[in-house]
Amino acid sequence: MITAPTKIQVEKTGQFIGHGGAIFTLEPASRAPLFYSGSSDNLVVEWNLEEQHQNKVVAKIPAKALALKYVPDRNILLVGQSVGGIHVIDLNKNEEIKLLQLHRESVYDIQYLSEQESFWVAAGDGTVSIWSINDFSLITALKLCDKKIRSIHFNNVLKEAAIGCGDGTIRIFDFETFEEKKILKGHLDDFSVNAACYHPNGKYLLSGSRDAYLNVWDIENDYALIRHIPAHKYAIYSVVFSPDKKFFATGSRDKTIKIWDAENFEMLLRIDKMQHEGHSHSVNKLLWIDFNNYLVSTGDDKAIMVWKMTNDIST
């Protein structure tokens, strides 16, 4: 039996306008139709995919909102901003309950590790800080390089953290001991690794860089670099997998979104301004959500776009 190539189609089903500046980040909310966005207008906004409208402004902070992480078992939202602060928003009280101020440069990513009751913060000062979710105390801070740290992702089976660094490396840490286990080099030196993302099958790590390449690392073969794909024309900022784990998407400074086969890493679809009324500026963040299998995208054009994917696999 010969399997025909997967065919995938996309339909733009909605667009949210409301932010007054570039949008940097997207994050799921407490229930599937809702999600958050953070922008250079200093606002964090909740949106409703079901009713296609803005629900409410969740927070107004004194600097650009660059990173968001929703912590479901506490119902809090962590907001990382452009002068290093981390705002803790209690969504039950609808108020800020804490401001953590260790970093003095931008916070680019925040990831929650429930089994360790901690969250990890990637900052522009080349440091990853690790905090208790219980009392918001600092557990430790790891100085990794002199460049920006842009991305953190966890592999809960291997108990590892993959950290994308501004010097072009990915550093693999044991997230229990904080021991550095490996440094991966495969992107151009000093070209920031903006997105590091473990494959849902546990076999691979994907990384996207300012060098516009998508790298695939074989975890079971000591993180050997097995694919070095010229995926975009300019920097890759976001890599996300579909809820069914069959596809993944990349977003880039080249204004495009690309959809890929998660099994063979072949590109299936290019979403752009001309063909799909896509983004007119850099695509900064993607969120592939369970609700209707929507892919949500955003970027420097101040717009949030909603895409519906359909695929036809013939045999």
Side-chain angles (χ1 to χ4, degrees), residues 22-259:
I23 305 169
F24 300 113
T25 187
L26 302 169
E27 176 69 8
S30 58
R31 53 190 180 90
L34 305 179
F35 70 95
Y36 303 111
S37 60
S39 168
S40 64
D41 63 7
N42 303 5
L43 297 180
V44 178
V45 176
E46 182 184 84
W47 307 87
N48 190 319
L49 284 166
E50 190 169 35
E51 300 175 10
Q52 296 277 320
H53 68 77
Q54 175 181 320
N55 259 16
K56 60 183 177 181
V57 174
V58 174
K60 180 173 177 59
I61 62 174
K64 299 174 183 177
L66 302 181
L68 298 173
K69 177 51 61 176
Y70 175 64
V71 182
D73 50 341
R74 311 297 174 109
N75 201 30
I76 62 172
L77 186 65
L78 304 170
V79 183
Q81 41 101 318
S82 56
V83 292
I86 305 156
H87 301 263
V88 183
I89 310 298
D90 186 320
L91 297 171
N92 294 322
K93 299 177 179 178
N94 291 315
E95 65 181 33
E96 181 175 314
I97 58 171
K98 197 83 173 178
L99 173 60
L100 309 176
Q101 190 73 67
L102 172 71
H103 303 286
R104 298 299 172 186
E105 295 185 35
S106 295
V107 169
Y108 290 107
D109 197 15
I110 305 173
Q111 295 297 331
Y112 175 54
L113 191 55
S114 59
E115 64 183 74
Q116 297 294 316
E117 298 185 315
S118 65
F119 58 94
W120 293 42
V121 175
D125 56 11
T127 301
V128 170
S129 58
I130 302 167
W131 304 78
S132 167
I133 196 65
N134 295 315
D135 61 5
F136 305 109
S137 61
L138 179 66
I139 297 171
T140 190
L142 309 170
K143 178 69 174 179
L144 304 188
C145 64
D146 293 326
K147 305 284 186 176
K148 300 171 183 176
I149 308 296
R150 299 295 295 262
S151 176
I152 301 169
H153 202 239
F154 298 122
N155 183 320
N156 289 317
V157 174
L158 297 177
K159 300 187 183 304
E160 290 180 347
I163 301 172
C165 301
D167 60 3
T169 66
I170 304 160
R171 294 166 188 261
I172 308 299
F173 277 79
D174 183 311
F175 67 51
E176 292 184 328
T177 66
F178 312 133
E179 174 190 0
E180 186 174 89
K181 300 173 67 173
K182 198 166 190 66
I183 300 177
L184 308 181
K185 297 181 178 181
H187 291 288
L188 289 178
D189 290 347
D190 295 328
F191 276 62
S192 177
V193 177
N194 301 317
C197 182
Y198 282 103
H199 196 296
N201 68 13
K203 296 180 179 179
Y204 307 110
L205 173 70
L206 276 61
S207 60
S209 164
R210 191 166 68 88
D211 64 11
Y213 275 79
L214 176 72
N215 281 357
V216 181
W217 310 84
D218 185 345
I219 297 171
E220 296 176 338
N221 189 24
D222 197 28
Y223 283 97
L225 179 60
I226 58 171
R227 297 291 298 272
H228 184 57
I229 303 167
H232 286 271
K233 292 182 178 179
Y234 300 109
I236 298 170
Y237 286 140
S238 191
V239 179
V240 296
F241 280 85
S242 62
D244 64 10
K245 306 171 187 174
K246 294 179 180 178
F247 308 100
F248 67 92
T250 54
S252 169
R253 185 174 175 266
D254 67 10
K255 310 172 188 177
T256 71
I257 302 163
K258 291 188 177 182
I259 309 300

